[in-house]
Structures are given as structure tokens and as C-alpha cells.
Amino acid sequence: MYEKIDKTKYTPMMRQYLDIKEQYPDTLVFFRLGDFYEMFFNDAIIASKELEIVLTGRDAGAEERVPMCGVPHHSVNGYIEKLSMKGYKVAIVEQLEEPSAKKIVKRDIVKIVTPGTNVDEEFLDEKNNSYLGCLDKDNDIFILSYVELSTGEAKITTFKTIDLVYSEILKLGIREIVAPSSFNKPIIQVLNKNYNILVSFNDETIIDDYLTSVTCELKEELKRCANRLLNYIVKTQKRVLVHLKSFSLYTSKDYLILNENTIRNLELVETNKGNRFKNNLFVVLDKCSTAMGSRYLKKSLLYPLINLNKIIWINK
């Protein structure tokens, strides 16, 4: 939990950092200072431990030195990836103007990297999709929407039980779920503690006009879930998402339902010991020439069709 700090006793630069940190209390702030990204206070303590880098201190106007650690700007992506894999969010603060001796350099957040939005090509697994999901509930129906930021794929579906939701999230490999702050707390705890999925809260469902076309054909309750997800993406990515496709609605009735235990026991995409790279059905069958083909094969294993006409049509 972020504790508000008395900014009056610190230097203008440190007050600038604290102003940004107050806006994003659940995020590790990478603050650009010359050739380094610096972290301060509790962020520095966390980052130094998780990244195994030296924790030092900085004179910042107060009697005690402020905890500090830093990483070179030219190798920052690797450090961000490590934190993302551990479930942290990282806010990238850049210098927006040339340094001047007369005034403090203007800085602001240019991007927020989260486990579900980290689509740096250097770290993407080309044979696995990287989805960011959103979970909502309307009466007795659970709604799950998700987006693949690297490809623009957007889908949405509904389930009657939470167990089916868990199975779907695990099959998709979703690492981050967006939800309203009022969402069922026990479900959030299960996602976080049992499945190591980061849950990010967002109550805003207003989106920019140019995004309305990707949700326009959805029913109102589905549209609310999709809009919540899009709003979160825009807030974290801080860029125009022109490549997003329209949300495609599908139902679990189209496929044979495979729960977590079935997938594990059949060793479809990993062995019982958790090995994803050998001795599972996907690896044995994967002779695909492209990453897209491999992803399609994996999807076919996890979502077997039960409609004979569709099976025949696909195999023509």
C-alpha cells in the first residue's frame, strides 16, 4: 500500500517524482534521469530485490537519504520484462524536453507496461498469444472479454459458472484481468493467489469515439465489459489503437469443454510436470511452418469443434 509522503521537504525534482507516483500508487515508476531510469522510496526497495540490483541512496532535500536504485536506459526492456513476469506494473517516465539549468526538466508518463500489455517483440513467445482480459458480471452471467494487443484480435464470451471462467482464462494464458472495483472479492483472490494472475481495477467504461466501432454490435451488458477493457488499454498504452478488430462473440457451446484437470492429464500443451517444450501433444504435432500456424494448432487442441459441419468445412 502506497503511503502519501510530505513533499514539501524534498527537492523540486523529487517532488515531481512524488506527484507522478501519487497518480499511480500501484505501479513501479521508472523515472528517467539522463542515461538511467531511477526508482525511489519503496519502489527502489522492491525493484532492487526483484531485479537483484544494488540499493543505494540519494540526497533529496530531507535529512535522510532517499532509497534509490537504477537501470541503464539502453537495457531497460529486459528489466521491465522481469518485473512484468513477476506480476508488476511499470510506469515509464520520460524527459519531454532538453535539460536546462534554469528550470526543472518536464517529465511525464509515456507508457504503462503491465503483464497483459507487455508486447515488446523482443520478449513475445511467437507460438503463444498474449491476451489481456476483462471480467464482469451481469445478473447470473459472467462476461469475459479479451484483446491481443500485438495482433488486434478482440473476443468476448459468457459463462454461467465461475469454474468455466477459470478454465477459459487458463486455456488462453491470460496473465492480467481487468475488473470493476466492486467485483466479487473471493474470485479476485482465487485469480491472484491460486493462478498468479494480476487483477487491475478500472471502473471507467467511456471510450474514445474512434473505438466505438469495435463494440457497436454487442449487447449493452457485453459492450460495458468490452469498453472497460478498451478504456484500460488506452490509459496504459497512451496511444491510438487503430489496429484493433471488432469484438467477436463466441459461445462455449461451439466447442468441447475441457477443464483444467482434463488439459493437464491429457498433456495437451504441457506435461504433468509443467514442461511446455517437450513430451506434450502440441510439441509432437507442431510441424507448422509459421508461428501463426502453431498458434492455430494449439487453439484447435484446446478448443475441439463439436459441430460436424464446421469440422468438415475446415478440413475441405
Side-chain angles (χ1 to χ4, degrees):
M1 181 67 72
Y2 174 72
E3 295 182 6
K4 196 168 183 179
I5 299 172
D6 180 8
K7 293 178 286 188
T8 59
K9 59 184 180 181
Y10 292 106
T11 61
M13 187 278 292
M14 191 57 65
R15 290 200 297 269
Q16 184 185 53
Y17 165 84
L18 290 170
D19 284 338
I20 294 173
K21 181 62 183 178
E22 283 183 0
Q23 299 175 48
Y24 300 91
D26 63 341
T27 304
L28 298 180
V29 176
F30 274 42
F31 196 76
R32 183 71 178 267
L33 287 173
D35 292 332
F36 286 82
Y37 287 97
E38 306 285 4
M39 288 138 279
F40 304 104
F41 297 99
N42 195 52
D43 282 10
I45 296 172
I46 294 173
S48 65
K49 179 181 178 181
E50 298 289 4
L51 299 175
E52 299 181 341
I53 56 179
V54 176
L55 178 67
T56 180
R58 181 187 181 95
D59 293 324
E63 293 183 7
E64 297 182 358
R65 287 164 62 86
V66 170
M68 181 190 79
C69 68
V71 298
H73 77 92
H74 60 80
S75 59
V76 70
N77 287 343
Y79 292 106
I80 292 175
E81 172 66 10
K82 287 181 181 178
L83 291 171
S84 177
M85 290 297 291
K86 292 175 180 285
Y88 291 99
K89 301 180 185 179
V90 177
I92 310 299
V93 177
E94 293 286 1
Q95 298 176 172
L96 302 182
E97 61 185 6
E98 291 297 323
S100 170
K102 297 181 180 180
K103 63 176 183 177
I104 187 170
V105 178
K106 183 179 180 181
R107 297 179 177 87
D108 203 356
I109 291 178
V110 296
K111 186 179 182 181
I112 298 175
V113 181
T114 73
T117 62
N118 188 7
V119 291
D120 192 301
E121 291 184 358
E122 181 181 353
F123 302 108
L124 281 177
D125 183 347
E126 63 178 13
K127 293 191 177 184
N128 290 285
N129 292 102
S130 180
Y131 292 116
L132 170 67
C134 181
L135 187 57
D136 213 335
K137 190 175 183 182
D138 182 67
N139 295 321
D140 295 327
I141 299 298
F142 291 98
I143 306 169
L144 177 67
S145 62
Y146 54 92
V147 165
E148 227 282 14
L149 283 180
S150 63
T151 64
E153 177 188 0
K155 293 196 173 185
I156 192 165
T157 187
T158 60
F159 297 97
K160 292 183 178 180
T161 69
I162 190 60
D163 287 336
L164 290 176
V165 175
Y166 293 148
S167 293
E168 192 75 358
I169 290 174
L170 292 174
K171 281 196 290 185
L172 293 167
I174 294 176
R175 295 171 54 199
E176 181 181 7
I177 287 287
V178 180
S181 59
S182 59
F183 197 76
N184 184 290
K185 296 299 185 291
I187 292 177
I188 291 171
Q189 290 178 345
V190 170
L191 288 171
N192 189 253
K193 295 182 179 179
N194 294 17
Y195 299 118
N196 197 30
I197 294 171
L198 174 66
V199 179
S200 300
F201 298 107
N202 182 36
D203 292 321
E204 184 61 68
T205 58
I206 303 299
I207 58 174
D208 294 336
D209 289 340
Y210 76 92
L211 286 174
T212 56
S213 62
V214 302
T215 63
C216 63
E217 296 184 4
L218 299 177
K219 293 181 179 179
E220 201 58 39
E221 62 272 18
L222 301 181
K223 185 181 295 185
R224 187 165 54 249
C225 180
N227 285 352
R228 190 187 309 280
L229 178 58
L230 293 176
N231 181 274
Y232 179 79
I233 293 173
V234 171
K235 285 199 300 186
T236 56
Q237 299 305 287
K238 296 183 179 293
R239 61 187 173 92
V240 178
L241 305 170
V242 294
H243 69 304
L244 280 186
K245 302 170 185 175
S246 296
F247 275 85
S248 173
L249 175 63
Y250 70 96
T251 173
S252 58
K253 293 179 181 179
D254 296 334
Y255 308 97
L256 180 66
I257 296 177
L258 302 176
N259 62 28
E260 180 186 358
N261 290 330
T262 302
I263 293 171
R264 183 175 62 250
N265 291 331
L266 290 177
E267 298 186 308
L268 295 182
V269 293
E270 66 178 41
T271 66
N272 283 323
K273 295 182 179 180
N275 193 325
R276 295 186 294 113
F277 303 104
K278 63 180 181 178
N279 300 331
N280 63 71
L281 183 60
F282 170 66
V283 170
V284 171
L285 295 178
D286 185 19
K287 308 300 180 184
C288 300
S289 301
T290 65
M292 183 181 297
S294 295
R295 291 195 294 268
Y296 183 81
L297 172 62
K298 179 174 286 189
K299 179 182 177 183
S300 299
L301 292 175
L302 295 174
Y303 294 88
L305 289 169
I306 59 176
N307 186 308
L308 181 59
N309 291 329
K310 287 187 177 182
I311 295 172
I312 295 173
W313 182 85
I314 287 177
N315 286 284
K316 281 184 178 180

